[in-house]
Amino acid sequence: MEKVLLKNIDNPDSADIGEYRKAGGYRSLPKALELEPKAIIEEVKKAGLRGRGGAGFPVAMKWTFASSDPKFPKYLLCNADEGEPGTFKDRPILEKNPHLLIEGMIISGYTLKAEYGYIYLRGEYPEAKHILDKAIAQAYENGFLGEKIAGKDVRFHLAVHQGAGAYICGEETALIESLEGDRGQPRIKPPFPVNVGAFSMPTVVNNVETLSNLPYIIEIGGEAYSKIGSPDCPGPKLYCVSGHIEKPGVYELPMGTILKDIIYTHCGGIKGGGKLKAVIPGGISTPVLPPDKLDCPMDFVNMPKHGSMLGSGAVIVMDESVCLVKVCYRALKFFEHESCGKCTPCREGTGWLRSILGRIEDGSGVDGDIELLLSVSGNIMGKTFCPLGDGAASVVQNFIKHFRPEFEDHIKNAGCSLKN
Amino acid sequence: MLSEAAIKEIEAIRAKYPTARAALLPAIYVAQREFGWLSPEAYEAVSDILGIPKAIARGVATFYAMYRHRPMGRNVVQLCTNVSCMILGAEKLVDFLKNRYSLEPGGTDPDGRFSLVIMECIGACGTAPAMLVNEDFYENLTEKYIEEILGKYK
Ligand SMILES: Cc1cc2nc3c(=O)[nH]c(=O)nc-3n(C[C@H](O)[C@H](O)[C@H](O)COP(=O)(O)O)c2cc1C
Ligand code: SF4
């Protein structure tokens, strides 16, 4: 497959506007400006583009909602918070191909009649901040951003807004709160951001990878784009693979590539010829899978049918040296730390789960602890304000579902039988 | 007091947003850089320039983990211990920093040269274990490599 999102990134100067243009960049923008915004939404719909931030929401639908709201100004926000543990797929776009994202945002801004855009960038990517600031300045100098884009009566302004280390700010309404200068606590929906978002105006939030698909959709057309990868959920997809794997990294493959093939064909299999124990397929919030469940197409439609989710496409591979109780404990420590504290089941429940898992891991677990974990998880599931709480509960439920004997062993033998 | 340059910088940031309040997070970064941490003076300065009450500024800032809520060493070592880093040995590196540099998580060494902050995922999972020192990324860490890296920071 031709590389779209990671095109040209082996060129050490790929982040420079000159190199981007040499590789064909900024050619879709003038083409898009010749089209009516409605026609662009139509192309995106034909393309079947779904959001790459985790939920897989159809982009054309979100854009239609925002476009049909009569309020102005409208805002376009790029979600570059990339906080889901295991995820590092947006980073190569931000650091190596910033103009692809910027071109995608200008096209999207024009389509939505949004005149202001912000890239909400996680604080942990200081390098990307410098690169994006420079790329944005170059885009202004070249007349792609500002008051008269490419000489037309189109304006779009873009700036980077730097986060400060809060995973929950990746959730779109928390992101908006944080952009507005507040604590990053999610808002109740409805109203949805497409109607009442940033500064109470219609707002579209899309992921970095999502927006970076726009230039290519304009270039080849929605119809051709929809032929790439899964028919239900087409396009190129970035998979980021880490853990006990021979060749970790970010891979651009057709959406729907089989998980097993990602691991064994593209990434060279388990590190050092080790034996596979478990895979988290889409970032730490997605259900863990045992080795016999990897024949699943990695896309938003098929993964739920195979007991997990595509999430952010962050594949974490674990070999037999790994204690899964410990992984589960570490995950819950993360959720407890990142819970924004707004609602009780998540704020209190993540702490309880972490604490029970901690005692099982260190050998002081007692009979009934597994049932207690399931009971606490069940009391979180479906009862929280935003999906962070559900994610935490489902992590515990799925580790127990697939690896219960390992939890039981820890309790029976007062600790972990693995050495590490 | 903020320097002239910092005031200009905050004013330029302010111009990018429809409200002064939206400039709060980035302005806090500027003040933190000027004062070294979010001291009472830092809040005072941000509050004055944006016209936002100090209590609000503090209430917002304390939500976020990456601001410096207390004085820190000259260099901040930010080591990830989340799952991808953990399964590739990040915890041993925490022990190493403790033994070799007297650095406890959340603490500062006796010379004030380094502070250690344990991070949630920093997006370097493919090259784990990883850390940031100030704004610099370091990946595929080993004990030996950490010694080499930290030698560069005074
Ligand atoms: C707890 C939580 C964290 C999230 N973190 C991110 C993130 O880091 N990046 C992202 O793009 N979306 C994240 N999302 C999803 C966003 O809420 C939103 O759905 C997404 O940005 C929409 O863009 P898309 O349609 O292009 O995927 C998160 C959601 C939740 C509930
Ligand atoms: S589920 Fe957790 S993170 Fe989400 S609103 Fe409730 S407390 Fe906050």
Side-chain angles (χ1 to χ4, degrees):
Chain A
M1 189 189 77
E2 175 192 6
K3 281 204 172 42
V4 176
L5 304 163
L6 301 183
K7 184 175 172 182
N8 206 28
I9 66 159
D10 296 329
N11 173 350
D13 297 317
S14 60
D16 183 72
I17 194 164
E19 294 301 307
Y20 179 67
R21 294 184 80 172
K22 259 191 235 157
Y26 286 113
R27 277 191 216 153
S28 291
L29 176 61
K31 211 170 145 188
L33 297 183
E34 293 299 322
L35 299 169
E36 285 295 317
K38 273 209 173 86
I40 298 178
I41 295 185
E42 203 43 50
E43 284 308 311
V44 172
K45 193 170 170 188
K46 268 192 228 152
L49 180 65
R50 283 170 187 260
R52 307 298 201 232
F57 194 81
V59 174
M61 200 189 286
K62 192 186 275 188
W63 287 15
T64 304
F65 293 145
S67 297
S68 46
D69 192 296
K71 292 195 293 299
F72 283 94
K74 298 188 203 292
Y75 291 95
L76 172 64
L77 308 183
C78 169
N79 193 339
D81 200 46
E82 186 146 88
E84 175 72 13
T87 313
F88 51 108
K89 70 179 181 68
D90 294 338
R91 198 173 148 202
I93 298 180
L94 297 164
E95 292 182 353
K96 305 260 170 68
N97 221 350
H99 285 287
L100 180 70
L101 171 63
I102 294 169
E103 185 176 7
M105 285 191 76
I106 304 166
I107 295 170
S108 310
Y110 166 72
T111 309
L112 295 159
K113 300 199 180 77
E115 297 183 340
Y116 301 93
Y118 296 96
I119 300 171
Y120 188 99
L121 177 69
R122 66 190 312 227
E124 291 86 344
Y125 287 176
E127 178 80 10
K129 167 85 164 79
H130 299 306
I131 292 168
L132 284 169
D133 279 342
K134 188 168 163 213
I136 289 172
Q138 287 182 331
Y140 270 105
E141 282 159 24
N142 284 265
F144 296 129
L145 284 170
E147 292 293 320
K148 277 208 170 299
I149 294 173
K152 297 213 159 214
D153 242 351
V154 176
R155 56 200 288 251
F156 189 66
H157 290 277
L158 184 59
V160 178
H161 186 89
Q162 202 175 7
Y167 165 67
I168 190 59
C169 290
E171 192 282 332
E172 58 183 10
T173 61
L175 184 151
I176 291 170
E177 287 285 309
S178 182
L179 172 73
E180 291 182 0
D182 222 319
R183 298 167 78 88
Q185 291 185 312
R187 293 176 177 172
I188 192 123
K189 298 191 247 190
F192 292 94
V194 286
N195 301 118
V196 184
F199 312 106
S200 304
M201 289 297 162
T203 299
V204 162
V205 184
N206 276 130
N207 172 258
V208 173
E209 186 187 344
T210 311
L211 294 165
S212 299
N213 274 283
L214 260 293
Y216 191 62
I217 292 176
I218 297 295
E219 182 188 328
I220 68 165
E223 186 76 35
Y225 180 98
S226 74
K227 303 283 190 297
I228 306 168
S230 294
D232 298 331
C233 182
K237 177 76 194 95
L238 297 179
Y239 299 103
C240 44
V241 189
S242 66
H244 294 121
I245 187 85
E246 272 299 320
K247 294 185 283 177
V250 183
Y251 291 80
E252 180 171 352
L253 300 169
M255 181 73 93
T257 304
I258 304 293
L259 179 53
K260 204 174 193 169
D261 293 339
I262 295 178
I263 295 173
Y264 289 97
T265 312
H266 298 283
C267 297
I270 312 308
K271 192 174 175 173
K275 192 155 177 270
L276 182 65
K277 186 168 184 181
V279 178
I280 297 175
I284 213 172
S285 309
T286 61
V288 63
L289 293 172
D292 61 344
K293 297 251 177 350
L294 307 183
D295 274 316
C296 41
M298 283 279 279
D299 64 43
F300 291 109
V301 177
N302 283 294
M303 286 305 279
K305 297 179 192 160
H306 289 81
S308 192
M309 290 189 298
L310 178 60
S312 58
V315 180
I316 307 175
V317 178
M318 294 173 275
D319 73 12
E320 288 215 308
S321 71
V322 175
C323 168
L324 295 178
V325 177
K326 191 164 169 184
V327 170
C328 190
Y329 164 72
R330 183 63 186 83
L332 265 292
K333 205 168 145 194
F334 166 78
F335 288 116
E336 180 190 23
H337 184 257
E338 300 300 333
S339 168
C340 83
K342 185 161 178 156
C343 58
T344 313
C346 168
R347 183 187 62 236
E348 304 298 322
T350 50
W352 280 109
L353 292 174
R354 190 265 308 143
S355 154
I356 301 160
L357 285 161
R359 79 178 179 215
I360 297 177
E361 167 61 15
D362 77 14
S364 40
V366 295
D367 280 342
D369 270 357
I370 296 175
E371 290 67 29
L372 190 56
L373 285 172
L374 292 174
S375 153
V376 176
S377 311
N379 279 315
I380 298 176
M381 197 53 119
K383 298 183 178 69
T384 61
F385 209 80
C386 89
L388 186 145
D390 286 348
S394 113
V395 165
V396 173
Q397 291 170 341
N398 282 285
F399 267 93
I400 294 176
K401 176 173 156 197
H402 294 297
F403 302 99
R404 189 173 180 124
E406 194 162 337
F407 288 78
E408 288 167 348
D409 277 356
H410 274 73
I411 295 172
K412 203 164 98 212
N413 304 323
C416 186
S417 55
L418 295 166
K419 270 192 284 308
N420 70 344
Chain B
M1 279 275 286
L2 287 170
S3 67
E4 207 48 48
I7 292 173
K8 283 226 172 71
E9 192 177 342
I10 294 178
E11 280 164 356
I13 291 169
R14 166 69 187 88
K16 292 181 181 174
Y17 298 97
T19 64
R21 180 68 182 266
L24 183 57
L25 262 69
I28 290 173
Y29 267 122
V30 176
Q32 166 177 291
R33 205 179 59 218
E34 290 269 306
F35 292 93
W37 66 291
L38 293 180
S39 61
E41 295 76 24
Y43 282 117
E44 184 99 40
V46 169
S47 160
D48 278 354
I49 192 166
L50 294 178
I52 292 168
K54 283 196 290 279
I56 301 248
R58 193 187 301 272
V60 171
T62 50
F63 183 83
Y64 296 93
M66 283 187 76
Y67 289 129
R68 300 179 180 183
H69 301 290
R70 55 184 185 283
M72 289 213 170
R74 293 188 295 283
N75 304 288
V76 183
V77 178
Q78 301 155 88
L79 180 73
C80 176
T81 63
N82 209 301
V83 172
S84 295
C85 282
M86 179 185 92
I87 63 177
L88 291 171
E91 287 178 327
K92 291 207 182 77
L93 301 178
V94 176
D95 292 339
F96 174 69
L97 288 170
K98 207 178 288 180
N99 299 332
R100 170 75 177 72
Y101 293 91
S102 312
L103 264 177
E104 297 279 345
T108 300
D109 68 359
D111 307 334
R113 184 171 160 211
F114 295 114
S115 291
L116 174 61
V117 179
I118 300 298
M119 302 292 279
E120 293 302 349
C121 187
I122 59 173
C125 325
T127 43
M131 68 177 179
L132 280 154
V133 181
N134 306 330
E135 295 202 339
D136 309 320
F137 260 106
Y138 295 99
E139 309 180 327
N140 295 313
L141 296 175
T142 59
E143 293 182 3
K144 196 157 158 275
Y145 185 33
I146 288 186
E147 280 197 319
E148 205 178 293
I149 295 161
L150 295 190
K152 294 193 292 192
Y153 294 86
K154 298 295 163 198

